[in-house]
Structure formats: structure tokens, C-alpha cells
Amino acid sequence: MTAKLEPNVMTKVSSWLTGDYDIDTKQSIQQLIDEGNDTELTDAFYKDLEFGTGGLRGLIGIGSNRMNRYTVGTATQGLANYLNKAFPNEEKKVAIAYDSRIKSDEFARIIADIFSANGISVYLFEALRPTPELSFAIRLLGCKSGVVVTASHNPKEYNGYKAYWDDGSQVVAPHDSNIIDEVNAIQSIDEVKFEGDNSRITKIGAEVDEKYINHILSLSISKGALERQKNLKIVYTPLHGTGVTLVPALLSKMGFEAVTVIEEQAEPKGNGQFPTVVYPNPEESEAMSKAVAKAREIDADLVLGTDPDADRVGIAVKNHHGEIQLLNGNQTASVLIYYLLNAWKDAGKLTGTQFVCKTIVTTDLIDKMAAAYDVNCYNTLTGFKYIAQVIREKEGVEQFIGGGEESYGYLIGDAVRDKDAIASCAMIAELTAYAKDKGLSLFDMLMEIYKQFGFYYEGLISLTKKGKSGADEIQQMMADFRANPPKTLAGSPVIRMDDYKALTTTDFTSGTTSQIPSGEMGIETSNVLQFFTEDGTKFTCRPSGTEPKIKFYVGVRAALEKNEDFDAVYAALKDKVKSIGEELELK
């Protein structure tokens, strides 16, 4: 073996070569050794996959830092061990779903076998299904946990594993670290029980679909508008993912009669290759391009696009120039929350005990709107599991209306405890119909929000830093920002820094530092920094928990007096975000 490998990498490589791993895996490792491919060996073995904000996620391939039969198996055995300890002398059931990615169905079956071999009953979806339906199924079927096999919107080379708890949310503290402890306690692949017990595995499908769809239909607010605007022109693309299993049927049940599905992106299998897109991510304009082109062709009112596991949705609408324009996640979240707040107010349901919830990197426009309606707005760390944590903690005390995050994830009501693109598609279609019923487009509604509450604009600068060297570079960038905070941003003095790793708030004006409360309300130690300026600009630094990226979020705001000023104000805000990225040399 090459002497250039670090000792911990050499140890792991040796254990895979001598352990009870299949012959193909061993031959692949040996080939990398023979080729002297130290970079690939290091990246594949320098660490174990860890639970981040989205669970277990990585490139498909051999090694402890890759998604394969053994890393999936070890994670599942650790979770099974923890479930048996956490719920002794109780019946334990889990639900499992999977998306259209490479090996998703294979991994799902491995997971089912391991749970069943550990005495845990399994509900396994018979075919691919959306992630939010898995969350719904956990609650519906009384499961203690659940797993969905997906890498969400990542490139085709990735797959992943999201673990859920008994309330239908992704695992949070202390369960996440406890599960990792159980996984790390496994010393040998021989401890993983791969031989399943078929008597404990039950296939599920249509019966759960029906109950899930009926739940979403029950969330409808403006039934009259739906009836009057049944000819609303909608274009939908599932981007080769699971959304195709439910969204078209759901829109039909809502009464929409002019829904166009992008057929070349409606075949979910595609061998997990996502053949018509570079990235199956509705945040990317390229991924939405076919749907947008179709919308222009047929003069559609709304474009909807869901990612492979259908927990995120991107949209496009006619703007004030009559052109089809993509909205970002902050804009969509704002319109959704505004619609819900107005509907609850009109129904006389706002009693002062309602709340909405969002992440700390999502637009502060939602905070502003919620305050105007006397509704609490709670801010959490990035990751929908933290929003679910707040819902759980407030259950029986305050009523959840809706929530979201800038990365295109939204939730209406609390029957699901994860971002839900299926329900979001339904509600976005409904609010578009509601607006049209009043002679407005969804974009007109957005401009009304800006005029009333202020024009908030958010930009995202995302830098990809791959492999171990990239991870080291990201950590150094964070250390530099902590050691030398920016004094100004776009000419405005920085007056405050929130450090979620140290859980401290520093007021630069007074020179005082105080603690950020943690342990509840979606806040815990996390490697995140936020800077606030005198003019209301917010700048956030956050390494991704699931991708080799560091993300910088820049939020700016200005007044919008009239619709005619939109383009000029928008351009000025975009320039301000760009200037901040340039002055901080984010590259």
C-alpha cells in the first residue's frame, strides 16, 4: 500500500481489504492502490459519512465516505440498535421510502432487511414515493422511526439516507448524536444483520397515497376561486423524480383542468441519470428551462417543478412585463405565508396563539409580515428538522400555520413534519387561482407585499470545495471570519455578530457579548456566523452539512413606493449584494 496515505486512511483501507466485504468491492480498492490513486483513496476513506442537516449523504461508491451497501448497512444497524434501546419492551415499526436515484431501491431493500432482522416491523413503499409522504406515513402508521433513501437535489452521482423519528421529523438532538454513537460502536461489518425476515416486511402504497392526498385537499382555503379558475394554465415538471406519482393527480382532484406535464421529465426511472438536466434541482434555471419554455409556448399562469424526492418546489410566474420569471425560495415562501396569514385573518382564526417558522437564513420579510398579523415567527438553524422541533415543542400551546426555508422547502399545517413539495404545489396553485380571481397575477401579489412591508432581496453565493483539501479550506474561511469580522458591508457599519458555534451574540456598538439560548426552539451549536449592519443588511456564513460547499447568504432591503419602481429598486439591491461578495472576495 502506498506510503503517502495518512495512517487513518491506511487503517480503513486495510480493514476493507481483509474484512467480510464482497469481492467486487475489494477488487475496486485494490485497483485504486495499484494505480496509485491516493486522492480517490483518501477521499473515499478519510472519514465516515456523518449525519448532517439532511442525514447521511455522499457519492455512490466504495469506501467509508461513500454511499454503498456497507455504509448504509452500518448506519441502519446503528439506528436499529438505538431504536431497540430507546423503546424497550415496545412494538417497534419503521417506514421506508425511496426516490428514483441510482441504487435507491436496492438500498431501501437492504435497510428493510436489516431492520427486520433486528426484530423491527417494516412498512416498505412498493415503489418510489415523495419524502413528505414518508413523514406522513410515520405518523399515520404509528412508527417509531423511518428512512427515506434520497440525495434530494444533488447531482446524479450522489445518494443519501434521511433518518426520521416518531413524530415524522428528521432526527434531532439527542437522537442524532446517539445514533451516530451506536453506528461508531460497530467495530466490524460482521455485526450488521443483512439477512432479512420477510415476515416482518409489509409493502404499502395506494392506501397511504389516498390518505395523504385527502389530507392535502383538506388544507384548501379558497374553494370558490378554485372552481372559478379551473382553467388556470399550469405547467408541471417532476424532474425525473417522485413528484410524478402524486402531483398531477392531486391538481386534477383540486379541479384544475389545464395542467401540462413535461412528459420527457415525467419518467422517473432513467436509471437515476436525470438525462434532461445537469442538476435535478428546481433552484437551477437550467433544470426548469423545459417547463418555462412550455409555459411561454402555451401562455401558462404558473410553472411548478419538484426535485427528485419532491420535498422542494421551484416556481415561475408571469411578471409585470408579462414574461415568465422564476421566483427564488424567499419570494415563494413570502407569498405562501402572506396568503396563509390573510386567509387565517379573514376566517377569524388568528387569536394571538398562532405561529409561523423559518430558518435564520430565510428572508426577514416573513418576520415583518408575521408581526403585522400578531403572529409569532420563530427562527431556527438551517434544516427543516429544526422547524419540526419547534412544531413539536409548541404542540398544544401554539398553532402552526406554515413555514419555510429559502432553499425551496415549505410546509403547510403540521400533519407532515418535513418540507412538503406536494402540499406546496397544491397551495401555490390555489393562491395563483385566488390572485387571478381578483384580477392579479402571483407576481402582482408579490409586489403588493413589497410595497406594504418593504422590498427584501436575498442573494446566495455558494462555493464548492471538494475533498479533504476543500473541507480544510472551508474551515479556514470560517476561522478567518471569526478572527477578523468585517467592519462594514456595502459601506454600512457591522453592528452585531451572532456566532452559533460559540452560541454568542456580540454587540460591536456597546462591546458586549451575550449567550444565545440553545437546547430548544431549533437552536443548538452549529458552525454558522451572522453579521448585521446598521442599514439592515444581514450576511451569513454557513458550511453545508450535506455537500462540499460553503454558502454565503446576503439579505438587503429597500422601500418600494409603486410598481413602476420595481425594476430600478430590484437592480439596486442586486448590485448591493454583488458588491458585498466582491468586497469580501468570496471566490
Side-chain angles (χ1 to χ4, degrees):
M1 193 178 300
T2 173
K4 295 180 182 178
L5 293 177
E6 294 183 3
N8 68 308
V9 176
M10 293 179 68
T11 298
K12 285 187 177 179
V13 170
S14 294
S15 70
W16 279 57
L17 285 173
T18 58
D20 191 17
Y21 296 86
D22 65 88
I23 189 64
D24 289 341
T25 293
K26 292 182 178 182
Q27 288 177 346
S28 296
I29 296 171
Q30 189 60 51
Q31 183 177 346
L32 291 175
I33 294 171
D34 294 342
E35 294 170 352
N37 197 335
D38 294 346
T39 299
E40 177 58 27
L41 282 167
T42 297
D43 286 347
F45 286 97
Y46 84 94
K47 66 173 185 177
D48 295 332
L49 282 179
E50 299 172 354
F51 281 96
T53 56
L56 194 69
R57 190 177 302 180
L59 292 165
I60 302 167
I62 59 167
S64 62
N65 191 34
R66 297 287 187 260
M67 285 289 296
N68 51 61
R69 170 182 177 83
Y70 304 106
T71 54
V72 167
T74 302
T76 305
Q77 186 63 54
L79 177 53
N81 291 347
Y82 183 61
L83 287 171
N84 282 325
K85 288 181 179 179
F87 301 103
N89 305 316
E90 291 185 51
E91 180 188 13
K92 287 168 283 292
K93 299 181 288 185
V94 300
I96 302 170
Y98 60 93
D99 69 2
S100 54
R101 287 181 173 272
I102 296 169
K103 292 185 177 292
S104 281
D105 55 349
E106 177 184 328
F107 288 155
R109 184 66 208 199
I110 290 169
I111 294 164
D113 284 342
I114 294 170
F115 277 132
S116 67
N118 282 273
I120 298 170
S121 298
V122 176
Y123 293 106
L124 174 64
F125 275 99
E126 61 191 1
L128 70 170
R129 286 297 190 281
T131 286
E133 187 174 7
L134 183 276
S135 175
F136 180 82
I138 289 170
R139 296 169 61 79
L140 175 71
L141 300 171
C143 296
K144 299 298 187 187
S145 181
V147 172
V148 61
V149 181
T150 179
S152 189
H153 58 286
N154 281 67
K156 63 186 179 183
E157 295 85 4
Y158 285 76
N159 213 325
Y161 178 115
K162 294 181 184 177
Y164 289 74
W165 206 239
D166 59 358
D167 65 338
S169 76
Q170 291 185 53
V171 293
V172 294
H175 305 304
D176 51 1
S177 59
N178 289 344
I179 293 166
I180 286 294
D181 289 343
E182 290 292 340
V183 174
N184 291 339
I186 296 173
Q187 299 298 308
S188 166
I189 197 66
D190 297 331
E191 297 175 44
V192 180
K193 300 176 182 178
F194 284 106
E195 295 299 323
D197 178 356
N198 286 330
S199 69
R200 291 187 176 275
I201 300 174
T202 302
K203 294 289 186 71
I204 56 174
E207 66 280 11
V208 178
D209 295 344
E210 181 180 5
K211 291 178 180 177
Y212 177 47
I213 287 177
N214 287 340
H215 155 67
I216 295 173
L217 293 173
S218 74
L219 299 172
S220 178
I221 300 165
S222 304
K223 297 190 186 320
L226 289 177
E227 293 172 2
R228 291 185 292 272
Q229 300 299 329
K230 62 184 181 181
N231 292 320
L232 187 83
K233 289 185 180 179
I234 301 172
V235 174
Y236 170 64
T237 174
L239 298 178
H240 304 286
T242 60
V244 73
T245 62
L246 295 178
V247 172
L250 175 59
L251 293 174
S252 177
K253 283 182 177 291
M254 293 174 71
F256 291 113
E257 298 178 352
V259 178
T260 300
V261 177
I262 304 300
E263 292 299 332
E264 62 188 306
Q265 296 179 328
E267 171 53 59
K269 294 177 182 177
N271 297 318
Q273 297 295 321
F274 310 115
T276 69
V277 295
V278 177
Y279 299 108
N281 183 357
E283 297 179 63
E284 302 285 345
S285 58
E286 183 275 332
M288 298 287 284
S289 61
K290 291 185 181 297
V292 168
K294 175 59 71 172
R296 291 182 180 132
E297 176 189 328
I298 66 174
D299 192 32
D301 300 285
L302 174 66
V303 176
L304 299 166
T306 53
D307 67 343
D309 70 323
D311 62 353
R312 300 171 193 248
V313 56
I315 75 170
V317 296
K318 285 183 185 175
N319 66 15
H320 52 307
H321 299 301
E323 301 166 347
I324 299 295
Q325 177 177 327
L326 292 164
L327 297 191
N328 63 40
N330 284 302
Q331 291 171 320
T332 303
S334 297
V335 176
L336 261 174
I337 297 299
Y338 178 74
Y339 177 63
L340 293 170
L341 289 170
N342 271 302
W344 280 61
K345 179 183 177 183
D346 291 345
K349 293 167 62 178
L350 295 182
T351 63
T353 59
Q354 285 72 41
F355 74 98
V356 296
C357 197
K358 69 180 187 68
T359 64
I360 59 175
V361 297
T362 302
T363 178
D364 291 339
L365 175 55
I366 293 175
D367 300 76
K368 189 81 174 288
M369 291 190 297
Y373 287 84
D374 194 28
V375 169
N376 289 323
C377 180
Y378 298 114
N379 284 266
T380 76
L381 291 176
T382 302
F384 229 87
K385 62 184 181 180
Y386 296 114
I387 293 177
Q389 181 182 359
V390 174
I391 295 172
R392 181 170 62 251
E393 290 170 357
K394 291 294 179 180
E395 210 158 14
V397 180
E398 294 183 30
Q399 190 174 9
F400 177 69
I401 294 176
E405 58 185 5
E406 47 70 43
S407 55
Y408 292 53
Y410 323 104
L411 177 62
I412 302 98
D414 63 1
V416 170
R417 299 297 172 90
D418 203 354
K419 48 188 176 284
D420 187 346
I422 308 301
S424 297
C425 281
M427 193 59 73
I428 292 166
E430 178 173 316
L431 73 86
T432 306
Y434 173 84
K436 191 169 186 178
D437 205 44
K438 294 183 176 298
L440 302 170
S441 68
L442 188 150
F443 199 87
D444 292 330
M445 183 184 290
L446 181 62
M447 288 197 293
E448 291 301 312
I449 293 170
Y450 287 155
K451 286 188 293 185
Q452 184 177 352
F453 300 102
F455 195 150
Y456 287 69
Y457 174 75
E458 295 78 25
L460 173 64
I461 302 168
S462 182
L463 306 181
T464 299
K465 307 286 184 179
K466 293 184 177 180
K468 183 179 184 300
S469 61
D472 292 341
E473 187 178 350
I474 287 171
Q475 292 307 312
Q476 187 60 51
M477 293 176 79
M478 293 297 291
D480 291 344
F481 271 111
R482 283 191 171 88
N484 301 290
K487 298 291 190 295
T488 62
L489 293 173
S492 182
V494 174
I495 59 175
R496 189 179 112 211
M497 177 179 76
D498 288 354
D499 186 342
Y500 285 89
K501 187 174 183 179
L503 289 173
T504 57
T505 294
T506 301
D507 185 327
F508 292 123
T509 304
S510 65
T512 59
T513 298
S514 57
Q515 288 295 123
I516 298 173
S518 67
E520 57 183 16
M521 300 302 292
I523 299 296
E524 61 186 20
T525 299
S526 183
N527 191 16
V528 178
L529 283 170
Q530 287 195 306
F531 302 94
F532 303 84
T533 71
E534 205 169 66
D535 71 354
T537 295
K538 181 172 72 173
F539 173 68
T540 307
C541 318
R542 186 184 77 86
S544 172
T546 57
E547 303 171 273
K549 292 181 179 181
I550 182 168
K551 299 180 178 181
F552 302 95
Y553 307 79
V554 188
V556 294
R557 68 189 190 207
L560 179 66
E561 300 295 338
K562 54 185 184 296
N563 289 1
E564 291 76 15
D565 296 336
F566 180 90
D567 291 340
V569 175
Y570 182 48
L573 291 174
K574 286 182 70 176
D575 286 344
K576 187 172 182 178
V577 168
K578 183 180 178 183
S579 72
I580 291 172
E582 290 173 348
E583 71 179 79
L584 294 175
E585 299 181 347
L586 302 179
K587 58 187 178 181

